[in-house]
Amino acid sequence: MEPLISIVVCNSERHYQPGNRMSCSYQIDAIAAEAIQAVEASILWITSGKGDEDMGIHEFHRWRRDDANIDLRVLHRFETSLPNSPWSYDGTIVNVHWLVRVKVFLEEGKIYSQDLPFRLGSLPAFTEESS
């Protein structure tokens, strides 16, 4: 059975400025507690477009069922201060995307992931008129 992963951030517009505090919460449903081996939650940026893709992890948490001795399905919260860069950017050659990612590792070896995108900074999207 596939787990249902829900992610919520404190800013419903999902737009932050560098240095802002970001509060996140996630919960996992539709799966038995003993089926989950570990959960990872991270705040990261990725690039897309022409050339190689890059990725940077700003915040990372990992909970293992054996280490934590808790039900990994329950609501978990974490927060961080967002960095000064890189800002979100939508260009014609490269894009920079920020997201909250939650990964669920099952005992049987399967991995499920859910992403929630957000924006960092106030760069406008690139358009042909702005070049």
Side-chain angles (χ1 to χ4, degrees):
M1 175 174 264
E2 186 172 324
L4 174 63
I5 305 168
S6 302
I7 306 170
V8 176
V9 295
C10 63
N11 181 337
S12 62
E13 295 175 11
R14 298 194 316 238
H15 190 176
Y16 296 87
Q17 295 302 317
N20 283 167
R21 293 290 291 169
M22 176 186 216
S23 294
C24 307
S25 60
Y26 70 87
Q27 186 168 358
I28 302 163
D29 291 306
I31 194 158
E34 59 274 3
I36 301 173
Q37 179 183 23
V39 175
E40 293 179 353
S42 54
I43 297 174
L44 58 108
W45 58 267
I46 56 173
T47 62
S48 63
K50 295 182 180 178
D52 294 336
E53 291 186 359
D54 287 322
M55 178 179 83
I57 298 174
H58 171 67
E59 184 85 13
F60 179 82
H61 301 275
R62 180 176 173 90
W63 295 273
R64 289 175 30 96
R65 185 184 65 217
D66 295 340
D67 296 341
N69 199 20
I70 58 170
D71 186 347
L72 297 173
R73 300 172 303 169
V74 299
L75 183 69
H76 281 67
R77 291 189 172 104
F78 63 98
E79 65 178 58
T80 188
S81 290
L82 293 170
N84 292 327
S85 65
W87 283 18
S88 299
Y89 181 70
D90 300 313
T92 57
I93 296 175
V94 70
N95 301 292
V96 178
H97 310 282
W98 278 90
L99 50 99
V100 178
R101 175 173 287 164
V102 175
K103 286 177 131 179
V104 177
F105 298 81
L106 301 185
E107 285 292 331
E108 62 199 35
K110 290 185 180 177
I111 302 170
Y112 294 93
S113 181
Q114 181 71 38
D115 294 343
L116 180 68
F118 67 93
R119 292 194 64 80
L120 178 65
S122 298
L123 288 176
F126 178 84
T127 61
E128 291 297 322
E129 296 83 39
S130 64
S131 60

